[in-house]
Amino acid sequence: MRWQIEKHDTVGSTMDLAAGRAAAGAPAGLVVWAEQQSAGRGRLGRVWHSEPGTSLLVTLLLRPALAVVQDPELSRAIAAGVARAIRRVTGFEPEIKAPNDLMAGEAGRKLAGILCQTSLRGDEVDYLLVGIGLNVNLPAERLPLPTATSLLAETGREHNRDELLAAILAEVDAMPGLADD
């Protein structure tokens, strides 16, 4: 896949911005990345807190075949790919909590959330959005909830968000039918 990264300081939601770009005809491979979201959300409309420059807040625009998005294991496969990318870059191994969360530590604190949103046009997929919110360099004392964590809190060191994104994109590239050109 040829990835095109569109980076922003602050947006309401990377999902909303990517959906607008997709509806306007943006090609597969668009990555909307924000340093901060004012209206970030997870599954069931839950709020996703973010501080500027501490998280990886991205939405990927894909245009796969209908059969791919109908796979009930799609969210889990993407979560597994994100977990592999985190392990490869940081050495830390998150646990997958179905359907779309990555957890860490014995207390099972939330490290990342993944949200998939599909738009259909008739019987065909118009686009698939994959939103990823990953707490990277947020110190433990600034985590918004006692049920949240970050890679910094888990490993004791900061991590390069560009490297994490590159590893995640490589994982998506390796998923059959998901990121084919």
Side-chain angles (χ1 to χ4, degrees):
M1 169 82 56
R2 183 180 193 134
W3 297 103
Q4 177 188 348
I5 299 173
E6 181 182 294
K7 198 163 184 185
H8 302 270
D9 289 332
T10 302
V11 300
S13 159
T14 60
M15 289 289 276
D16 292 344
L17 190 54
R21 301 280 196 270
L30 176 65
V31 178
V32 176
W33 180 355
E35 289 296 323
Q36 183 178 26
Q37 297 181 111
S38 60
R41 66 184 181 281
R43 199 169 71 92
L44 306 175
R46 293 184 178 117
V47 174
W48 184 269
H49 172 79
S50 62
E51 286 191 24
T54 63
S55 299
L56 188 58
L57 307 167
V58 297
T59 296
L60 316 180
L61 168 59
L62 305 170
R63 296 189 183 271
L66 182 61
V68 174
V69 299
Q70 288 179 320
D71 184 344
E73 294 295 314
L74 178 62
S75 289
R76 187 167 177 79
I78 292 170
V82 173
R84 283 190 302 272
I86 290 169
R87 182 178 57 245
R88 189 167 62 248
V89 172
T90 70
F92 180 78
E93 181 134 9
E95 297 289 323
I96 298 170
K97 179 184 173 193
N100 67 333
D101 292 335
L102 296 181
M103 311 301 280
E106 290 180 16
R109 292 186 174 93
K110 188 168 180 174
L111 176 66
I114 299 159
L115 186 62
C116 296
Q117 179 180 309
T118 305
S119 177
L120 300 175
R121 182 174 292 159
D123 292 340
E124 296 185 11
V125 175
D126 187 14
Y127 59 84
L128 167 67
L129 299 178
V130 177
I132 302 166
L134 171 61
N135 294 328
V136 182
N137 294 321
L138 191 60
E141 63 274 6
R142 292 204 332 252
L143 289 163
L145 299 168
T147 55
T149 192
S150 69
L151 288 170
L152 172 62
E154 294 299 321
T155 65
R157 65 187 193 283
E158 289 194 358
H159 299 279
N160 184 300
R161 294 178 305 140
D162 291 323
E163 286 180 37
L164 283 163
L165 179 57
I168 290 168
L169 297 178
E171 287 290 336
V172 172
D173 273 337
M175 293 180 187
L178 195 57
D180 296 338
D181 283 322

